[in-house]
Amino acid sequence: MLDKLSSSLKDTLKKITRLVFIDERAINELVKELQRALLQADVNVQLVFNLTKKIKERALNEKPLKSITQREFIINIVYEELTNFLGKEKSEIIIERKKPFKIMMVGLYGSGKTTTIGKLSKYYSKRNYKVATLGLDVHRPAAPEQLEQLSEQVKVKCFTEKKEKNPLKVYKKFESEYKNYDILIIDTAGRDALSSDLVKEIELLNKEINPDEKILVISADIGQAAQAQAEQFHKSCNISSVIVTKMDGTAKAGGALSACAVTGAKIKFIGIGEKVDALETFNPPGFVSRLLGMGDIEALLEKAKEAISEEQAKDLGNKFLKGEFNLIDLYEQMEAMSKMGPISKVLEMVPGFSQIKLPKDALQVQEGKLKKWRFILDSLTKKELEDPELIDSSRIERIAKGAGVPTSEVRDLLKQYKQAKKLMKMMKGSPDKMMKKFKFPGMK
Ligand SMILES: Nc1nc2c(ncn2[C@@H]2O[C@H](COP(=O)(O)OP(=O)(O)OP(=O)(O)O)[C@@H](O)[C@H]2O)c(=O)[nH]1
Ligand SMILES: [Mg+2]
């Protein structure tokens, strides 16, 4: 999906990470390459221009906070602006508990309405909703059968009436049965273009059925034309969500996605194949980080936030700088790290971090060890905590006994502390370099 865009974006960012200095020329070059990549993905020229202008302005005018490198700073700007560009945050269809919650699918001929009904049925069934489908495409002869087959495949009830040519009558025929289902997904007919008869039919169904959610289905291969389509449908029948299908089969998907986003229509899902499970929720931040090959930054930042507050991080950073770092700080830091998961995984998720080489075991600690260390710290005197150099062999014996752990455990903790301290000394006089090594992902 959007492989070409993804690889050109990645290449562009890789170039940035290889530079030692990022000057105006480098930023201009970056902007030019971003433009080229986005235009190739069929994003509207004006939109591309606005986007890259913003990126350039921010890159030139904003100052990176002390704790991030300039490269990380630039990559983050690109990430943030692309995310804004695609609709900022994930928005979901809220399924009300109202037997049934009615979802009506609309869209042009062949856009993927019926297929997507199969996918949605599976998606919601898996989440424990009792789903039924209703075929109101009375125009295309094979439509009811297609819906029946799909429904059978995903094991949901399907209501169709092959002989009836009036969609409203089909709806009425089964009306007493809908209350047995949590969600009713309604298929409607497509047309070649948004014609007056299609509008009339949708308006009528809309009035009589009163759906809770009206989903416009748009095929990604129409590229920028998605904008006009989304606007037209929105005007005539007030759609509440968009699903962009066939994201897998076109290099133009950037056009459709950005064009929908610009109308304010919320893209809730994307279709990425013909099979019934080829459906993904659309989450701009996750989508962009995947495009840029940055892993799931968002998830990481969330985790980091939980693990350590910015204040704490800053505090600790300052202590490092002043050389006041003691055993309690070490413990807190390790605890924060362990909450985020194995450090190698954590670093993978942070852009630019994969290049930084941390001493392998300098900060790595397992859960079980942490618990023992807590006991050890509890057995230390205040003096010892503040000045671990005091701790000699006889003190180690005493501490181990008090904590109920072998002396080797106490030595381990001290070793870890010394390593961290050594690292700190090594980098004294070069705070930037040091901050880089000790930066916490949650720190801005
Ligand atoms: N590759 C790919 N094909 C898709 C996707 N969604 C739908 N299709 C295909 O697109 C074609 C049309 O899909 P339908 O679901 O029949 O479209 P429709 O909107 O119901 O069409 P009408 O009922 O004729 O208006 C089928 O061959 C589907 O398999 C997708 O996400 N990826
Ligand atoms: Mg159909």
Side-chain angles (χ1 to χ4, degrees):
M1 180 177 44
L2 283 177
D3 292 342
K4 191 144 180 281
L5 175 62
S6 181
S7 69
S8 40
L9 287 176
K10 276 185 217 162
D11 286 348
T12 306
L13 292 188
K14 239 183 247 151
K15 268 185 215 157
I16 280 280
T17 57
R18 276 195 221 108
L19 294 175
V20 183
F21 292 108
I22 302 177
D23 52 11
E24 190 164 347
R25 223 183 72 190
I27 289 171
N28 282 333
E29 191 58 34
L30 166 78
V31 161
K32 236 188 266 158
E33 288 188 22
L34 283 176
Q35 286 171 342
R36 207 174 300 142
L38 291 165
L39 288 172
Q40 269 173 5
D42 193 47
V43 181
N44 175 281
V45 179
Q46 191 58 47
L47 290 182
V48 171
F49 187 71
N50 293 347
L51 172 75
T52 49
K53 194 171 150 221
K54 228 185 252 165
I55 291 176
K56 187 174 166 179
E57 270 170 15
R58 287 189 59 190
L60 290 175
N61 298 328
E62 285 178 22
K63 280 222 155 44
L65 290 145
K66 223 182 167 180
S67 56
I68 28 180
T69 66
Q70 208 191 0
R71 287 180 251 139
E72 287 163 358
F73 172 68
I74 304 280
I75 292 171
N76 195 47
I77 290 176
V78 174
Y79 163 77
E80 279 179 7
E81 291 303 328
L82 276 174
T83 304
N84 284 343
F85 185 61
L86 289 179
K88 232 173 213 156
E89 53 197 33
K90 183 174 173 178
S91 83
E92 278 176 282
I93 295 175
I94 315 261
I95 307 285
E96 293 159 50
R97 290 274 171 196
K98 58 178 285 195
K99 299 215 160 200
F101 183 83
K102 289 179 267 184
I103 299 176
M104 187 165 88
M105 312 290 277
V106 301
L108 296 187
Y109 174 78
S111 56
K113 293 179 293 299
T114 312
T115 311
T116 306
I117 290 181
K119 295 176 182 179
L120 285 176
S121 299
K122 180 160 189 195
Y123 179 87
Y124 286 117
S125 295
K126 256 195 184 160
R127 283 157 183 76
N128 285 326
Y129 290 100
K130 200 172 165 201
V131 180
T133 61
L134 169 64
L136 299 190
D137 179 359
V138 293
H139 301 294
R140 199 162 59 82
E145 218 148 77
Q146 186 194 4
L147 187 66
E148 277 166 9
Q149 277 171 8
L150 274 166
S151 302
E152 198 182 303
Q153 196 187 337
V154 298
K155 299 189 183 69
V156 301
K157 171 78 182 166
C158 176
F159 298 105
T160 51
E161 176 54 64
K162 287 176 192 140
K163 289 188 202 90
E164 182 54 65
K165 289 292 168 205
N166 178 337
L168 207 54
K169 282 199 178 144
V170 182
Y171 175 75
K172 293 240 160 94
K173 182 172 178 195
F174 304 104
E175 207 167 6
S176 62
E177 300 195 46
Y178 303 146
K179 62 176 183 301
N180 300 319
Y181 298 91
D182 298 316
I183 301 176
L184 180 69
I185 311 180
I186 304 162
D187 195 16
T188 65
R191 296 284 196 283
D192 279 334
L194 192 77
S195 51
S196 61
D197 54 341
L198 177 60
V199 171
K200 236 189 236 156
E201 186 174 299
I202 294 171
E203 271 174 2
L204 180 72
L205 294 175
N206 193 18
K207 199 173 129 230
E208 295 291 329
I209 298 174
N210 193 20
D212 300 287
E213 188 75 36
K214 278 164 279 176
I215 301 182
L216 170 64
V217 179
I218 289 184
S219 168
D221 55 22
I222 66 168
Q224 292 177 36
Q227 182 174 345
Q229 222 182 85
E231 273 165 358
Q232 278 182 351
F233 266 95
H234 192 54
K235 231 190 266 161
S236 54
C237 50
N238 223 347
I239 50 160
S240 42
S241 302
V242 176
I243 296 182
V244 179
T245 62
K246 305 185 199 177
M247 289 286 296
D248 53 308
T250 171
K252 288 178 164 186
L257 283 183
S258 53
C260 285
V262 89
T263 66
K266 293 284 180 212
I267 303 169
K268 307 282 169 76
F269 292 95
I270 52 179
I272 52 168
E274 296 191 63
K275 300 232 170 72
V276 285
D277 44 14
L279 183 78
E280 277 185 12
T281 55
F282 183 61
N283 175 22
F287 187 81
V288 172
S289 55
R290 224 165 54 189
L291 269 186
L292 301 184
M294 303 199 299
D296 205 345
I297 299 178
E298 197 202 16
L300 171 80
L301 291 181
E302 275 307 305
K303 265 191 196 166
K305 246 185 242 153
E306 278 170 31
I308 189 164
S309 75
E310 258 175 59
E311 277 304 296
Q312 263 178 311
K314 244 185 244 156
D315 241 33
L316 209 49
N318 286 336
K319 275 186 182 158
F320 270 128
L321 284 179
K322 286 194 210 132
E324 287 170 358
F325 168 74
N326 65 25
L327 269 175
I328 297 173
D329 300 321
L330 177 74
Y331 180 82
E332 277 174 4
Q333 179 193 346
M334 300 208 170
E335 199 177 39
M337 288 291 193
S338 78
K339 274 190 204 156
M340 286 188 272
I343 196 161
S344 54
K345 269 269 164 305
V346 171
L347 294 184
E348 248 171 48
M349 293 195 276
V350 184
F353 249 75
S354 42
Q355 280 105 339
I356 298 165
K357 284 197 187 64
L358 265 176
K360 261 231 168 88
D361 52 355
L363 296 169
Q364 226 162 355
V365 144
Q366 298 116 6
E367 196 85 14
K369 260 212 148 97
L370 271 177
K371 240 186 226 153
K372 284 187 199 149
W373 288 8
R374 183 83 254 176
F375 295 145
I376 295 172
L377 292 180
D378 286 342
S379 308
L380 295 177
T381 63
K382 191 162 174 283
K383 259 195 169 159
E384 286 165 347
L385 281 173
E386 285 165 2
D387 184 9
E389 309 293 332
L390 280 176
I391 303 172
D392 56 15
S393 294
S394 72
R395 284 184 192 239
I396 289 177
E397 295 263 353
R398 188 210 84 229
I399 294 162
K401 242 188 217 146
V405 300
T407 51
S408 59
E409 208 64 54
V410 183
R411 286 183 205 280
D412 257 8
L413 171 58
L414 291 172
K415 200 172 111 203
Q416 199 91 8
Y417 167 75
K418 277 185 187 136
Q419 258 181 348
K421 185 134 185 165
K422 203 163 114 200
L423 211 59
M424 194 179 80
K425 261 194 199 138
M426 239 163 57
M427 285 177 285
K428 233 182 181 165
S430 171
D432 271 354
K433 211 162 139 198
M434 194 195 78
M435 289 301 279
K436 202 159 74 184
K437 293 215 176 183
F438 281 100
K439 195 188 100 175
F440 299 93
M443 216 165 145
K444 279 237 162 148

